[in-house]
Amino acid sequence: MFGILRTLWLTFLHLGHRRVTVGYPETRPALPPRYRGRIILSRDPDGLERCVACNLCAVACPVDCISLQKAEQDGRWYPDYFRINFSRCIFCGFCEEACPTYAIQLTPDFEMSEYVRPNLVYEKEDLLISGTGKYPDYSFYRVSGVKIPGKDKGEAEREQPPVDLHSLLP
Amino acid sequence: MTPPPLLVIATTLVVLLGLATMLTWAERRLLGLWQDRYGPNRVGPGGLFQAVADGIKILFKQDWIPPFADRPVFVLAPAIGMMTVLLAFGVIPVTALWSIAGDLNIGLLFVFATMGLGVYSVVLAGWASNSKYALLGGMRAAAQMMSYEVFMGLSTLGVVMTAGSFGLRDIVQAQAGLWFVIPQCLGCVVFLLAGIAETHRLPFDLPEGENELGAGFHTEYSGMKFGMFFLSEYAGIVLVSALVTTLYLGGWQGPVLPPALWFAAKTGALVCLFILLRAALPRPRYDQLMALGWKVLLPLSLLNIVATGAVLLLRAPG
Amino acid sequence: MATIHIDGRPCPARPGENLLQACLEAGADLPYFCWHPELGSVGACRQCAVRQYSGPDDRTGRIVMACMTPATDGAILSIDDAEAREFRASVVEWLMTNHPHDCPVCAEGGECHLQDMTVMTGHAVRRYRFTKRTHRNQDLGPFVNHEMNRCIACYRCVRFYRDYAGGEDLAAFATHNDVYFGRHADGALENGFSGNLVEICPTGVFTDKPFSAVYSRKWDLRGAPSVCTHCAVGCNTIVNARQDSTRRVLNRYHDAVNRYFLCDRGRFGHGFTAAPSRLRAPLARIDGRPTPVPVQDALRRFQMMAQDGPVVGIGSSRASLESNFALRALAGPARFSTGMAEPEHGLARLVADLLRASPARNPTLHDMESADAVLILGENVTVTAPRAGLALRQAVRQAAFDIADAARIPRWMDAAVRTLGAEACSPLFVATPGPTDLDPIARATYRAAPDDIARLGFAIAHGIDPTAPDVPDLPEDAARLAADIAATLRAAARPLIVAGTQYGTAALPQAAAAIAAALAAHNSAAALSLILPDCDSMGLALMDGLSLDAVRALARDGGIGTLVVMENDLTRRLDPAALDALLAAVPHLVVIDHTATPLSARADLVLPSASFAECGGTLVSTEGRAQRFLQVLFPDPPLQAGWRWARDLAQAADPGTAPVWQDLDDIVAAIAAEIPSLAPIGRAAPDAAYRLDGARLRSEPPRISGRTAVRANISVRDRPPPAAPDTPLAPTMEGAYGPAIPGALVPYYQAPGWNSVQSLNRFQQEIGGPMRGGDAGVRLLDGARQDETPRPRSAYATAIPAPFVPRAGEILLLPEPRLFGTEELSTLSPPIAARVEAAALRIADDGGATPTIALRLNGQRVVLPVIRDPALPPGIALCPPHMALRAFAAPAWAIVQPHGDDTP
């Protein structure tokens, strides 16, 4: 009984409290860098696409709103197209967690309303940014074993030079 | 001088419906205030026209009746709800002279009678919807409103005994010296709680119970028919507040200010209390609600009658 | 049945199998790498370690390799044992030390046996902090990608490629952990089964190169059971598709047919479904030019044509039974042609009759593997029926198995059995005009013209059964060989005779049937296998109809108003003059085909039909097995199955009497009702009403991705799944799936914890045995024989051909198909096209030195490069059909022209 009255009183006192919410869009909230907003595709430190079209983001997506097709050039995989249907996206961030190359990242931008639904379908050109996003140093191909232009076999991190098959030395 | 009856009727209707409409906005603003947020503040100054915007929206919604519903009853139910609340206002004395029905000597009984009819609205809505959630909501409403009707009536007996009349104007005038809220504090609390239950407002809104019943008895309603339920709920809040004012807070009586203003101020404060309850309290379980009614409120109101009777007998001359 | 105890649980086991097999059959999760159900055990990877106890009182036990330990009754073992677990985890950790961080860019990812096994053993954290060994890759041709860094040295690839498939250009190089699997130098893998490396390799060293260009993860691929259309063997396949295109073909296990392997033509030949030459809209000839027209317009045009005289239908041995039957219904049985010219037409019927009448067994491919003496009579099996060739290669191992059995070594003990039987080969005799891939393992080869080979065959039959007609004037060496072969076959427990129609002569299948009949007289296990050229040749032989020559005669008499050709490029069947004469005599030509052909370019009306991936249907393999292929793609109209076009044409021509089949089951029922020899085809696969656990089967994995984005660039609206009236497979991920799925309806293989093709183990009743849900297909040629026991001894054919006599100035051109390049549809597939070599003529060494030779055949002059082969008999030339001479498919005498003589 007393508890109920106390609750009423304490709630009543909130009359004079500061508001937690802000009057968006006049006042803009400060969003942390790890806020889960608009999805982007980043580039590696060399300025090349980080996405290797492994499809893990697509399979992790609970609303199936990511679709892509793998293409290949000189050993590098990249997405031929990369499409996110933001009219379906729930901004759960699973894609970012699944990404083995830090390519797909969620950003603190959430202002993406559109009057026409097809405008919410983002293609690779709309998603790809020119920077590295949250992870400035990582480059997948520096650790992976595949050969790409500028990195021959055995030149990745912790790799020996390729084996000479004609040698029988131990 | 008694104002002409048509003017009284028209004014009451306009003010009441206007008030109920604005209350939908005021409630959300107040809730926002108490919950440290803004509430609707975009339409018009301070969001004042939000109610108008909502009204327009709800009027333009498709007037849809589910194919599985019992059409006539489905349409009738919200109208009954609105009607009973408006009827009850007929006997509320805003001032000594301002009352639609004039000084009806069975005013309080008339109020109970009309409010008692209100249960039909909810039960019929639940039944006519022909869906399980609506039916469950309707059954809950029936049991809840029937039960609390009892304590509501019993709790006011103290007031009636003291004032010696069922006429609401007489009751107000009997409070000239001391508002009944002091001697009848027990009855006042019981009446207030019963009033909340009767209007199925939070925390006693189990007939709607969103998290378990969808939207309870009005699950299948939309458009203006839903709007009628919505408005009658807010009119109900005003009615109960006005009744508490009349029965326990001395009605229009008060110093300096004109009587109508006193009545409005007291009623308004009670309306705010209703909203505060919604802002602060969670909903009890249904069995807790019934237990509170029959195990606490019933004995209390009986105790109140006995005590009042005893005091009156002791005080009685000769 | 023995009982073994796995972690205290009694499980049935077959005596003689190994513990790994027994564990897998019991449903236990035991990781392995080097063992393969078809390749046996070598104990190389040390991954399947379990603890075995010698008895109930043994508390210590010992760690053994399950794949190298025979399952004995009462064996007690523990998979869950702590030490065994640690052992397996350590093994995976060692295997992974050099494995690169490649999974995101590895085409095996998501269906990788190594991934599954790593998860299964619980190895999650890499502790190895030192450098990794790396390898350079090789270009292995258009079929297979090579990424040696990923190798875990299980040796499966070379065991399959060298030991099983007889390839020689893939080997293990270098030593210790530098071991390298590849060729001596860059270059295409020569063996015709190299594509199986993709499924054999437990990780991503060998991956599917054409698939890599249109890559999707396994979980994103819709699958449907299909049947290979590139030869008559009828290998079961799974076709994978995504986003309206076929992506790859995988093996679908069939206990009796292809089992674990496919040939490269079947695996990589599906590319024609996406070829630019695909027809996508009806084309009508307007002002002399083919112009796209609406369907209604096209049907109306046909309605007009049909008023100009009788409609004659030409079916096709590459179209489904349903399409052929619908065309037969449109034209009427008397005006329906099989689409085969003589001699192919007559040979197909002959083969069907011989197989039905022969007292010998008609073996499945799996039966052929266990034959202990094989005679190949005038057929280059590894080319005309490649998978059958692979089965025959296994038959040679029967002698080794006998030695192993005598030495009490289990047959799955692969290295031991192969070492023990290295010198022992069961007899395989190859009698063909030219060299074949099986020659190196043959006990004897016989190079002669087809007629002489047939004579050898008849002589063998006579040698086995003297009541068979004798062959006069047989040369001495041939007679000696015939006697030798006859004695060997007679001594064999399970002799097998293989022949075919490749050389266009009836004498070869007749001779083979004579030998088989002679053998069957005293050996009921004797088997006869006859090979037809196309995927539905046998179906057409059973359906019957006119030959193309009869159609030509009909046309000459003005008996044809409209010619409707179903999926048949007549330019490959009739030489230009004959075709011109036929088309000139026919007022209207309608072509129904999925691919534009030289014939469709001449048609008045072209209707686009669905390829094998886009519709369902039934094919009858050369073994007489009717098998159903199901739809994996759902193309937008107007593309539809050939039989639906024939039905629509029939309705346009005469709405009153036309058939009203709605779905595949309707027409299958109609075929079964009308053609007695095809009556059982309804049982080839469950019909569209089939339900597993009350639901349709799903054709997409439950974790398929991108549903709401894949078409979002076209429309963001959700599209309802396509209607699929012809198949019990729902075109979505919704539906039932499980190990009890019928073999005819497997859309993909996956089991909890097993995402690679190795999950197949879970779907079999026993490892290498039939599918739990039943095997696919129904055999059509057995029925007649079962009612007549004992089997009647068929009368021996008496038409023994005369000895082949070379002609002066002329040479007998014999069709010598190739694995890549002579089959019509696979050649349209880019990876196959990349392997096609230019046409060349193989002739006997004539002492000449010119690099080319000029021939004249049916008025056509052609100059071909020549290969001189001293082993070839004089007077004949082996020429790839359909290449230099498009219509060349049957033996023909060609005039050899001196160079420089350009007179026509």
Side-chain angles (χ1 to χ4, degrees):
Chain A
M1 183 68 199
F2 175 74
I4 291 173
L5 292 177
R6 186 167 169 272
T7 305
L8 285 176
W9 174 241
L10 288 179
T11 309
F12 181 73
L13 285 185
H14 272 259
L15 213 57
H17 281 215
R18 251 180 81 95
R19 287 179 166 107
V20 177
T21 54
V22 296
Y24 177 85
E26 293 85 10
T27 329
R28 283 168 184 279
L31 298 177
R34 294 202 300 180
Y35 185 86
R36 299 199 306 260
R38 180 168 58 89
I39 300 172
I40 56 102
L41 289 174
S42 61
R43 291 174 187 272
D44 66 14
D46 306 326
L48 296 165
E49 280 175 51
R50 257 186 185 149
C51 177
V52 299
C54 72
N55 278 286
L56 286 179
C57 50
V59 75
C61 180
V63 288
D64 287 351
C65 76
I66 303 179
S67 178
L68 65 152
Q69 173 60 52
K70 174 244 167 185
E72 191 173 349
Q73 194 166 30
D74 303 328
R76 257 187 107 101
W77 284 25
Y78 67 96
D80 184 37
Y81 75 84
F82 194 108
R83 187 177 302 132
I84 300 183
N85 181 354
F86 277 109
S87 70
R88 294 284 187 166
C89 179
I90 57 171
F91 299 97
C92 64
F94 283 10
C95 49
E96 184 173 2
E97 283 182 38
C99 184
T101 67
Y102 294 137
I104 195 165
Q105 298 177 11
L106 276 73
T107 63
D109 173 20
F110 58 88
E111 293 169 320
M112 355 175 17
S113 309
E114 296 282 353
Y115 284 100
V116 197
R117 241 179 10 130
N119 290 355
L120 282 166
V121 178
Y122 282 39
E123 297 289 341
K124 188 166 92 172
E125 303 79 69
D126 311 320
L127 296 164
L128 197 61
I129 63 166
S130 51
T132 56
K134 283 176 269 188
Y135 308 94
D137 299 327
Y138 184 77
S139 169
F140 171 76
Y141 284 105
R142 282 184 201 155
V143 293
S144 92
V146 298
K147 174 184 165 187
I148 56 162
K151 192 206 79 174
D152 201 358
K153 286 278 179 189
E155 292 178 2
E157 284 173 18
R158 291 212 183 91
E159 276 191 347
Q160 293 163 14
V163 167
D164 174 13
L165 294 181
H166 301 288
S167 165
L168 289 177
L169 292 174
Chain B
M1 187 202 73
T2 317
L6 273 180
L7 177 70
V8 177
I9 293 171
T11 316
T12 311
L13 261 181
V14 167
V15 170
L16 189 65
L17 290 180
L19 209 62
T21 312
M22 292 320 291
L23 212 48
T24 60
W25 165 79
E27 173 168 41
R28 281 186 278 165
R29 285 292 288 187
L30 280 174
L31 285 178
L33 213 55
W34 279 316
Q35 293 171 351
D36 296 347
R37 53 188 177 85
Y38 282 91
N41 64 348
R42 292 282 157 185
V43 195
L48 197 61
F49 298 155
Q50 183 70 41
V52 182
D54 286 349
I56 292 171
K57 184 197 81 170
I58 216 161
L59 271 173
F60 279 91
K61 273 204 159 185
Q62 189 188 3
D63 190 28
W64 188 73
I65 297 171
F68 45 81
D70 185 344
R71 283 183 71 94
V73 185
F74 190 83
V75 176
L76 201 62
I80 295 175
M82 198 68 209
M83 208 172 62
T84 52
V85 175
L86 291 182
L87 269 179
F89 268 99
V91 294
I92 302 286
V94 177
T95 68
L97 300 174
W98 190 282
S99 169
I100 295 169
D103 185 17
L104 192 64
N105 61 356
I106 52 156
L108 191 56
L109 289 181
F110 180 79
V111 169
F112 285 144
T114 51
M115 285 180 75
L117 286 174
V119 71
Y120 281 102
S121 152
V122 178
V123 173
L124 289 179
W127 177 257
S129 294
N130 202 4
S131 93
K132 61 176 168 239
Y133 293 131
L135 185 61
L136 283 170
M139 300 315 285
R140 282 188 181 187
Q144 173 179 333
M145 291 170 80
M146 298 287 219
S147 309
Y148 277 78
E149 196 98 4
V150 175
F151 326 131
M152 204 172 185
L154 290 178
S155 63
T156 54
L157 279 187
V159 171
V160 173
M161 285 155 76
T162 318
S165 166
F166 278 111
L168 289 174
R169 195 178 295 179
D170 299 341
I171 292 175
V172 172
Q173 275 156 357
Q175 300 180 63
L178 183 65
W179 293 354
F180 283 151
V181 70
I182 305 297
Q184 289 291 326
C185 60
L186 211 55
C188 178
V189 169
V190 173
F191 185 84
L192 195 64
L193 289 177
I196 298 168
E198 196 71 5
T199 50
H200 38 85
R201 278 284 301 178
L202 274 128
F204 295 154
D205 67 337
L206 289 111
E208 290 168 41
E210 298 89 343
N211 46 4
E212 65 245 33
L213 293 184
F217 63 89
H218 59 65
T219 304
E220 307 294 344
Y221 280 87
S222 67
M224 204 49 219
K225 287 201 272 301
F226 167 74
M228 298 268 270
F229 278 123
F230 204 59
L231 278 183
S232 63
E233 182 180 322
Y234 283 95
I237 297 171
V238 179
L239 175 64
V240 172
S241 302
L243 273 176
V244 174
T245 306
T246 308
L247 294 176
Y248 297 100
L249 296 181
W252 65 80
Q253 297 183 1
V256 186
L257 295 172
L261 218 59
W262 270 113
F263 183 85
K266 291 172 185 175
T267 309
L270 282 166
V271 168
C272 289
L273 178 65
F274 266 84
I275 295 167
L276 179 61
L277 285 171
R278 177 174 178 181
L281 295 179
R283 187 187 294 145
R285 280 200 320 269
Y286 196 72
D287 63 311
Q288 289 171 331
L289 174 78
M290 296 312 266
L292 176 71
W294 293 104
K295 291 183 185 165
V296 179
L297 298 187
L298 179 65
L300 276 183
S301 47
L302 289 177
L303 183 69
N304 184 41
I305 293 167
V306 172
T308 310
V311 170
L312 284 178
L313 276 180
L314 283 177
R315 283 239 196 120
Chain C
M1 213 63 179
T3 303
I4 62 169
H5 300 267
I6 305 173
D7 290 318
R9 183 166 61 101
C11 301
R14 286 172 293 147
E17 68 178 341
N18 59 50
L19 285 180
L20 175 59
Q21 281 178 302
C23 289
L24 293 173
E25 281 171 15
D29 282 340
L30 181 57
Y32 64 86
F33 288 113
C34 66
W35 173 81
H36 184 277
E38 203 73 356
L39 301 180
S41 315
V42 287
C45 71
R46 317 313 281 172
Q47 185 58 72
C48 59
V50 294
R51 184 178 287 274
Q52 188 179 18
Y53 300 93
S54 52
D57 303 328
D58 184 2
R59 292 267 165 267
T60 24
R62 64 195 194 286
I63 300 277
V64 298
M65 295 306 126
C67 74
M68 299 298 281
T69 313
T72 47
D73 195 17
I76 302 170
L77 59 128
S78 171
I79 296 174
D80 215 21
D81 178 73
E83 198 184 337
R85 291 177 74 95
E86 197 190 325
F87 187 103
R88 298 196 296 263
S90 304
V91 169
V92 159
E93 192 168 0
W94 293 326
L95 290 176
M96 295 292 283
T97 53
N98 288 320
H99 198 73
H101 282 102
D102 268 3
C103 295
V105 294
C106 174
E108 194 85 356
E111 52 180 326
C112 177
H113 189 58
L114 180 59
Q115 279 179 341
D116 287 350
M117 297 301 102
T118 309
V119 172
M120 198 177 281
T121 50
H123 171 57
V125 178
R126 185 181 181 81
R127 293 187 292 172
Y128 180 76
R129 291 280 172 255
F130 307 101
T131 52
K132 296 176 189 174
R133 170 268 291 146
T134 60
H135 280 302
R136 292 199 186 280
N137 301 327
Q138 290 178 328
D139 179 4
L140 298 180
F143 296 155
V144 179
N145 251 332
H146 195 218
E147 185 62 51
M148 257 311 290
N149 281 1
R150 299 170 185 152
C151 183
I152 55 166
C154 71
Y155 279 74
R156 267 189 184 191
C157 52
V158 287
R159 287 174 58 215
F160 166 75
Y161 196 85
R162 300 182 74 89
D163 297 350
Y164 194 90
E168 285 175 348
D169 57 329
L170 184 82
F173 298 98
T175 55
H176 53 94
N177 73 337
D178 290 347
V179 174
Y180 187 91
F181 299 92
R183 285 169 50 89
H184 69 286
D186 280 11
L189 288 169
E190 287 159 11
N191 193 275
F193 297 89
S194 62
N196 293 300
L197 293 176
V198 174
E199 289 186 43
I200 281 278
C201 178
T203 175
V205 177
F206 299 103
T207 49
D208 187 330
K209 196 180 259 183
F211 175 50
S212 185
V214 289
Y215 186 70
S216 268
R217 296 282 176 201
K218 180 180 182 180
W219 60 69
D220 279 344
L221 291 166
R222 179 191 293 156
S226 195
V227 176
C228 184
T229 55
H230 302 296
C231 81
V233 172
C235 291
N236 289 201
T237 60
I238 290 173
V239 183
N240 279 156
R242 181 164 173 82
Q243 275 184 279
D244 306 326
S245 68
T246 54
R247 299 294 176 97
R248 67 168 168 185
V249 161
L250 283 178
N251 183 62
R252 178 161 59 95
Y253 178 82
H254 189 300
D255 167 43
V257 188
N258 50 311
R259 293 176 70 79
Y260 295 89
F261 305 119
L262 289 179
C263 73
D264 287 352
R265 188 158 82 200
R267 187 181 294 270
F268 302 108
H270 63 89
F272 73 90
T273 59
S277 54
R278 277 301 297 275
L279 296 164
R280 303 275 176 196
L283 301 171
R285 183 170 299 279
I286 299 173
D287 300 333
R289 285 225 307 276
T291 314
V293 293
V295 172
Q296 285 313 317
D297 194 8
L299 293 178
R300 204 164 43 245
R301 280 164 191 274
F302 179 75
Q303 192 181 0
M304 311 287 273
M305 294 177 188
Q307 289 162 4
D308 291 353
V311 174
V312 169
I314 295 185
S316 167
S317 53
R318 65 168 161 92
S320 66
L321 273 184
E322 286 78 5
S323 294
N324 281 314
F325 179 78
L327 186 64
R328 183 176 177 268
L330 167 69
R335 286 194 296 275
F336 170 71
S337 159
T338 60
M340 294 185 270
E342 294 295 356
E344 188 188 346
H345 175 79
L347 284 173
R349 292 175 57 179
L350 174 71
V351 163
D353 291 343
L354 287 176
L355 286 178
R356 251 195 298 226
S358 172
R361 290 181 316 117
N362 172 14
T364 64
L365 244 53
H366 189 39
D367 278 343
M368 288 159 81
E369 290 176 0
S370 58
D372 59 352
V374 181
L375 168 64
I376 298 172
L377 205 62
E379 181 83 3
N380 191 350
V381 183
T382 49
V383 168
T384 56
R387 184 61 186 84
L390 189 63
L392 294 178
R393 193 177 280 281
Q394 310 317 310
V396 176
R397 295 194 65 210
Q398 291 306 312
F401 287 145
D402 291 344
I403 296 174
D405 290 350
R408 299 168 61 103
I409 294 172
R411 290 184 175 192
W412 43 259
M413 196 72 90
D414 193 58
V417 174
R418 284 192 192 273
T419 309
L420 203 57
E423 301 299 318
C425 279
S426 314
L428 168 70
F429 302 99
V430 181
T432 49
T436 75
D437 285 351
L438 292 175
D439 293 352
I441 53 167
R443 175 169 294 179
T445 57
Y446 179 65
R447 297 276 167 269
D451 284 351
D452 288 340
I453 293 172
R455 288 167 60 78
L456 175 80
F458 284 112
I460 295 168
H462 177 74
I464 295 166
D465 181 356
T467 63
D470 194 7
V471 182
D473 312 326
L474 202 65
E476 182 69 13
D477 56 337
R480 218 174 315 115
L481 183 63
D484 182 23
I485 295 174
T488 310
L489 290 177
R490 221 190 133 94
R494 298 169 62 81
L496 167 67
I497 319 299
V498 183
T501 59
Q502 175 189 349
Y503 295 110
T505 164
L508 284 170
Q510 274 167 347
I515 303 172
L519 285 170
H522 64 87
N523 183 351
S524 63
L528 169 68
S529 183
L530 299 175
I531 289 161
L532 286 172
D534 288 332
C535 60
D536 203 21
S537 296
M538 181 58 83
L540 275 177
L542 295 176
M543 187 177 285
D544 211 0
L546 309 174
S547 73
L548 275 184
D549 308 75
V551 173
R552 286 168 60 201
L554 208 58
R556 264 199 306 277
D557 303 342
I560 301 180
T562 307
L563 193 61
V564 183
V565 182
M566 172 73 76
E567 300 181 8
N568 197 343
D569 178 9
L570 296 182
T571 61
R572 287 169 64 93
R573 310 251 182 200
L574 299 174
D575 59 62
L579 184 64
D580 289 345
L582 171 65
L583 296 187
V586 170
H588 307 294
L589 173 65
V590 179
V591 169
I592 304 172
D593 208 337
H594 45 72
T595 304
T597 61
L599 182 73
S600 71
R602 302 172 67 169
D604 302 307
L605 185 61
V606 180
L607 300 172
S609 68
S611 71
F612 75 99
E614 293 147 353
C615 65
T618 313
L619 299 173
V620 185
S621 75
T622 193
E623 172 203 339
R625 184 184 295 270
Q627 302 186 105
R628 186 79 31 85
F629 59 94
L630 293 177
Q631 190 171 10
V632 66
L633 286 173
F634 298 85
D636 292 327
L639 226 62
Q640 59 178 357
W643 65 265
R644 285 199 160 93
W645 278 121
R647 175 200 64 187
D648 292 350
L649 291 182
Q651 277 169 352
D654 183 4
T657 59
V660 286
W661 311 305
Q662 288 302 312
D663 56 34
L664 189 68
D665 294 327
D666 289 348
I667 185 166
V668 165
I671 298 172
E674 190 164 330
I675 302 174
S677 58
L678 295 174
I681 63 165
R683 287 187 280 119
D687 62 15
Y690 175 83
R691 295 292 181 272
L692 182 69
D693 301 334
R696 296 175 88 179
L697 301 170
R698 62 171 176 242
S699 59
E700 291 175 345
R703 200 39 268 180
I704 193 157
S705 76
R707 184 181 59 82
T708 63
V710 73
R711 285 185 75 255
N713 57 331
I714 302 162
S715 163
V716 285
R717 287 170 189 277
D718 269 9
R719 197 162 62 155
D726 295 342
T727 154
L729 293 160
T732 64
M733 64 176 179
E734 285 166 15
Y737 181 81
I741 203 162
L745 297 181
V746 175
Y748 60 92
Y749 292 114
Q750 202 263 337
W754 300 77
N755 298 298
S756 73
V757 287
Q758 317 286 333
S759 55
L760 168 60
N761 294 331
R762 291 283 188 259
F763 292 78
Q764 296 165 322
Q765 288 173 18
E766 56 191 44
I767 305 289
M771 294 286 285
R772 280 174 199 249
D775 276 333
V778 56
R779 272 165 65 105
L780 301 178
L781 301 179
D782 296 342
R785 219 181 293 143
Q786 275 159 7
D787 356 314
E788 344 166 350
T789 42
R791 293 169 179 176
R793 221 169 116 176
S794 67
Y796 294 114
T798 48
I800 297 175
F804 173 74
V805 183
R807 297 184 194 171
E810 282 188 303
I811 195 162
L812 181 63
L813 279 191
L814 294 173
E816 187 68 18
R818 293 179 176 175
L819 189 55
F820 310 120
T822 56
E823 196 270 333
E824 181 179 1
L825 296 177
S826 65
T827 311
L828 299 171
S829 184
I832 300 275
R835 286 290 301 273
V836 174
E837 289 165 14
L841 205 64
R842 184 181 283 269
I843 58 170
D845 197 353
D846 56 354
T850 50
T852 57
I853 189 169
L855 298 173
R856 171 169 303 283
L857 181 72
N858 293 335
Q860 280 183 288
R861 184 173 190 275
V862 63
V863 180
L864 281 170
V866 24
I867 303 165
R868 292 188 171 78
D869 181 352
L872 225 56
I876 63 167
L878 299 178
C879 174
H882 308 303
M883 289 184 82
L885 293 157
R886 191 170 176 84
F888 171 67
W893 286 97
I895 302 160
V896 182
Q897 290 192 321
H899 268 282
D901 180 0
D902 285 338
T903 48

